[in-house]
Amino acid sequence: MGMGGLIKVILQNVMRYLSEELEEYCANNCTTTSQPQVVVANNSSQEIIIIQQQEEEEEEEIIDHHDSPQNNYIMSPPPLPLDLAQALEEIIDTINTIGILKPAAAAPAPASSGKIKEQRQRQGGSRGGKKRKNNNNVDVAINELKRIKHYNNQQKILLVGEGDFSFSACLALAFGRAPNIIATSLNSKEFLEKNYEKAASNIENIRMRDGKVMHGINATKIAKHASLGHIKFDRIIFNFPFAGFFTNLSHESVLRRHRRLVSLFMKNAKEMLSEDGEIHISHKTNGSHSEWNVESMASSHGLRLIQAVKFKQRDYPGYNTKYGFGGDQNFNCNPSKTYKFGLKIN
């Protein structure tokens, strides 16, 4: 039973009781007539109008006919007792206030899909929320979840070993706003601008969307970095780690250098992971790259393999696979996988 129904039942019982009191009072103090009349009682400058005869439907709503007086009365002095008069007045006011006797208002007609769309447009666009201009005058959505492949704008993301910053810029553009992104490279800003044609514009795209760009960051020592080491990240990304070209070294020596780079990165990144965070390493799977044994290295650092999925460059529009030691050419990243590692569950 709703609140309105409960109040109605209470008022019915009160009216029944007052009806009995009124019948007894009038039997002792009033004269009767066969004609229904309207009674006016003055009491302490209050005027109470009681209509003795009501429509049958109204009587059924308020009181039970079997308990109502059988005669119609004309009240004559002395007036109604003050407490009885006030009680009747309060009941009438309450009925008028809550509208028990009024029919329920019809439910508003559902808005058409066109009107709903129009309302959303007036409120700022999609269901994701309103839009605003950021400090760089870029129109960005607020509190709207946006994804690209394995990543979304609710994750705190650290990228290391960036080449021309095209991967970081791809994420920032997909999110619309990127305060959750910190993109880093080992190379200096001057080196990047000299060697990569689009590095400057990619960096600008990240910063325009409130992302952070840092240079001179060594992926093998990030856990000790003064500005980064204390931060916990949901995703730490190292795409195609590569220690360099060493034409004068043996295959085994070069392999050790590559493996050492990845191993030290994992050791540091592990210290910067949130509880449910993940380390993502995209790595080629053919030729000598298969000898790196990325999974076994991760296990030795207390990391577990969550998933290994095929890496598709087309999933990241604008991403260019640059060599990390100069030259603006792209290398062929096929075939390759993205390895996702998390903390081992004890």
Short mmCIF file of all heavy atoms in Angstrom, two decimals, residues 11 15 18 48-51 54 62 85-99 101:
data_model
loop_
_atom_site.label_atom_id
_atom_site.label_comp_id
_atom_site.label_asym_id
_atom_site.label_seq_id
_atom_site.Cartn_x
_atom_site.Cartn_y
_atom_site.Cartn_z
N LEU A 11 -7.76 8.33 7.53
CA LEU A 11 -8.80 9.36 7.52
C LEU A 11 -10.19 8.74 7.55
O LEU A 11 -11.12 9.29 8.17
CB LEU A 11 -8.64 10.24 6.30
CG LEU A 11 -7.42 11.18 6.30
CD1 LEU A 11 -7.36 11.97 5.01
CD2 LEU A 11 -7.46 12.12 7.49
N MET A 15 -12.83 9.71 10.34
CA MET A 15 -14.14 10.24 9.97
C MET A 15 -15.26 9.38 10.55
O MET A 15 -16.31 9.89 10.95
CB MET A 15 -14.25 10.30 8.44
CG MET A 15 -13.39 11.38 7.79
SD MET A 15 -13.94 13.04 8.21
CE MET A 15 -15.47 13.12 7.27
N LEU A 18 -15.51 10.36 14.18
CA LEU A 18 -16.12 11.68 14.35
C LEU A 18 -17.59 11.68 13.96
O LEU A 18 -18.40 12.43 14.51
CB LEU A 18 -15.35 12.70 13.51
CG LEU A 18 -13.92 13.00 13.98
CD1 LEU A 18 -13.25 13.97 13.02
CD2 LEU A 18 -13.93 13.59 15.38
N ILE A 48 -16.91 27.20 9.94
CA ILE A 48 -16.79 25.83 9.44
C ILE A 48 -18.05 25.48 8.68
O ILE A 48 -19.15 25.56 9.23
CB ILE A 48 -16.59 24.84 10.59
CG1 ILE A 48 -15.37 25.25 11.41
CG2 ILE A 48 -16.44 23.43 10.07
CD1 ILE A 48 -15.18 24.43 12.64
N ILE A 49 -17.92 25.14 7.47
CA ILE A 49 -19.07 24.79 6.64
C ILE A 49 -19.08 23.28 6.45
O ILE A 49 -18.12 22.70 5.97
CB ILE A 49 -18.99 25.48 5.27
CG1 ILE A 49 -18.94 27.00 5.47
CG2 ILE A 49 -20.17 25.08 4.40
CD1 ILE A 49 -18.81 27.75 4.19
N ILE A 50 -20.14 22.66 6.88
CA ILE A 50 -20.27 21.21 6.75
C ILE A 50 -21.44 20.91 5.83
O ILE A 50 -22.56 21.33 6.10
CB ILE A 50 -20.51 20.55 8.12
CG1 ILE A 50 -19.37 20.91 9.06
CG2 ILE A 50 -20.66 19.05 7.98
CD1 ILE A 50 -19.56 20.39 10.46
N ILE A 51 -21.19 20.26 4.78
CA ILE A 51 -22.26 19.89 3.84
C ILE A 51 -22.77 18.52 4.23
O ILE A 51 -22.04 17.54 4.18
CB ILE A 51 -21.74 19.88 2.40
CG1 ILE A 51 -21.19 21.26 2.05
CG2 ILE A 51 -22.83 19.45 1.44
CD1 ILE A 51 -20.62 21.36 0.68
N GLN A 54 -23.94 14.73 0.48
CA GLN A 54 -22.91 14.66 -0.54
C GLN A 54 -23.33 13.67 -1.60
O GLN A 54 -24.24 12.87 -1.40
CB GLN A 54 -21.58 14.22 0.06
CG GLN A 54 -21.05 15.18 1.11
CD GLN A 54 -19.74 14.69 1.69
OE1 GLN A 54 -19.42 13.52 1.55
NE2 GLN A 54 -19.02 15.58 2.33
N ILE A 62 -15.17 8.36 1.36
CA ILE A 62 -14.73 8.87 2.65
C ILE A 62 -15.17 8.00 3.81
O ILE A 62 -14.37 7.63 4.65
CB ILE A 62 -15.26 10.31 2.86
CG1 ILE A 62 -14.73 11.21 1.74
CG2 ILE A 62 -14.85 10.84 4.22
CD1 ILE A 62 -15.25 12.61 1.82
N ALA A 85 -14.81 20.61 16.18
CA ALA A 85 -14.82 21.50 15.03
C ALA A 85 -13.43 21.58 14.40
O ALA A 85 -13.27 21.54 13.18
CB ALA A 85 -15.29 22.89 15.45
N GLN A 86 -12.41 21.72 15.24
CA GLN A 86 -11.04 21.80 14.73
C GLN A 86 -10.62 20.50 14.04
O GLN A 86 -9.94 20.51 13.02
CB GLN A 86 -10.08 22.13 15.86
CG GLN A 86 -10.21 23.56 16.37
CD GLN A 86 -9.29 23.84 17.54
OE1 GLN A 86 -8.88 22.92 18.24
NE2 GLN A 86 -9.01 25.11 17.76
N ALA A 87 -11.05 19.37 14.61
CA ALA A 87 -10.71 18.08 14.01
C ALA A 87 -11.30 17.95 12.62
O ALA A 87 -10.64 17.51 11.68
CB ALA A 87 -11.19 16.94 14.91
N LEU A 88 -12.58 18.35 12.49
CA LEU A 88 -13.23 18.29 11.18
C LEU A 88 -12.54 19.21 10.18
O LEU A 88 -12.33 18.86 9.01
CB LEU A 88 -14.70 18.67 11.32
CG LEU A 88 -15.61 17.61 11.98
CD1 LEU A 88 -16.99 18.20 12.25
CD2 LEU A 88 -15.73 16.39 11.09
N GLU A 89 -12.16 20.40 10.63
CA GLU A 89 -11.51 21.36 9.74
C GLU A 89 -10.16 20.82 9.27
O GLU A 89 -9.80 20.93 8.09
CB GLU A 89 -11.32 22.69 10.47
CG GLU A 89 -10.72 23.77 9.57
CD GLU A 89 -10.57 25.09 10.30
OE1 GLU A 89 -10.50 25.07 11.54
OE2 GLU A 89 -10.51 26.12 9.63
N GLU A 90 -9.40 20.20 10.17
CA GLU A 90 -8.09 19.66 9.80
C GLU A 90 -8.22 18.52 8.80
O GLU A 90 -7.43 18.39 7.88
CB GLU A 90 -7.35 19.18 11.05
CG GLU A 90 -6.90 20.34 11.94
CD GLU A 90 -6.30 19.84 13.24
OE1 GLU A 90 -6.23 18.61 13.42
OE2 GLU A 90 -5.90 20.68 14.05
N ILE A 91 -9.26 17.69 8.98
CA ILE A 91 -9.47 16.58 8.05
C ILE A 91 -9.79 17.10 6.66
O ILE A 91 -9.27 16.63 5.65
CB ILE A 91 -10.58 15.64 8.56
CG1 ILE A 91 -10.08 14.88 9.80
CG2 ILE A 91 -11.01 14.66 7.48
CD1 ILE A 91 -11.14 14.06 10.47
N ILE A 92 -10.68 18.11 6.60
CA ILE A 92 -11.05 18.68 5.30
C ILE A 92 -9.83 19.29 4.62
O ILE A 92 -9.60 19.11 3.42
CB ILE A 92 -12.17 19.72 5.48
CG1 ILE A 92 -13.46 19.03 5.93
CG2 ILE A 92 -12.41 20.49 4.18
CD1 ILE A 92 -14.56 19.98 6.35
N ASP A 93 -9.01 20.02 5.40
CA ASP A 93 -7.80 20.63 4.83
C ASP A 93 -6.84 19.57 4.33
O ASP A 93 -6.21 19.71 3.28
CB ASP A 93 -7.11 21.51 5.87
CG ASP A 93 -7.89 22.78 6.16
OD1 ASP A 93 -8.74 23.15 5.33
OD2 ASP A 93 -7.64 23.39 7.21
N THR A 94 -6.72 18.48 5.11
CA THR A 94 -5.80 17.41 4.71
C THR A 94 -6.24 16.76 3.41
O THR A 94 -5.44 16.49 2.51
CB THR A 94 -5.71 16.34 5.82
OG1 THR A 94 -5.25 16.96 7.01
CG2 THR A 94 -4.74 15.23 5.42
N ILE A 95 -7.56 16.51 3.30
CA ILE A 95 -8.09 15.90 2.08
C ILE A 95 -7.82 16.79 0.88
O ILE A 95 -7.40 16.35 -0.19
CB ILE A 95 -9.60 15.63 2.22
CG1 ILE A 95 -9.83 14.50 3.25
CG2 ILE A 95 -10.22 15.25 0.88
CD1 ILE A 95 -11.28 14.25 3.57
N ASN A 96 -8.03 18.09 1.05
CA ASN A 96 -7.79 19.02 -0.06
C ASN A 96 -6.31 19.11 -0.42
O ASN A 96 -5.94 19.30 -1.57
CB ASN A 96 -8.31 20.41 0.31
CG ASN A 96 -9.83 20.45 0.38
OD1 ASN A 96 -10.50 19.67 -0.29
ND2 ASN A 96 -10.37 21.36 1.19
N THR A 97 -5.45 18.96 0.61
CA THR A 97 -4.01 19.09 0.38
C THR A 97 -3.44 17.91 -0.38
O THR A 97 -2.74 18.05 -1.37
CB THR A 97 -3.26 19.24 1.71
OG1 THR A 97 -3.74 20.41 2.37
CG2 THR A 97 -1.75 19.36 1.48
N ILE A 98 -3.75 16.69 0.09
CA ILE A 98 -3.16 15.50 -0.55
C ILE A 98 -3.94 15.03 -1.74
O ILE A 98 -3.48 14.19 -2.51
CB ILE A 98 -3.01 14.35 0.46
CG1 ILE A 98 -4.38 13.85 0.91
CG2 ILE A 98 -2.17 14.76 1.64
CD1 ILE A 98 -4.30 12.63 1.81
N GLY A 99 -5.14 15.57 -1.93
CA GLY A 99 -5.91 15.25 -3.13
C GLY A 99 -6.37 13.82 -3.21
O GLY A 99 -6.35 13.21 -4.28
N LEU A 101 -9.33 12.67 -2.99
CA LEU A 101 -10.56 12.54 -3.77
C LEU A 101 -10.37 12.91 -5.23
O LEU A 101 -11.28 12.78 -6.03
CB LEU A 101 -11.67 13.41 -3.15
CG LEU A 101 -12.02 13.08 -1.70
CD1 LEU A 101 -13.13 13.99 -1.23
CD2 LEU A 101 -12.43 11.63 -1.57
#
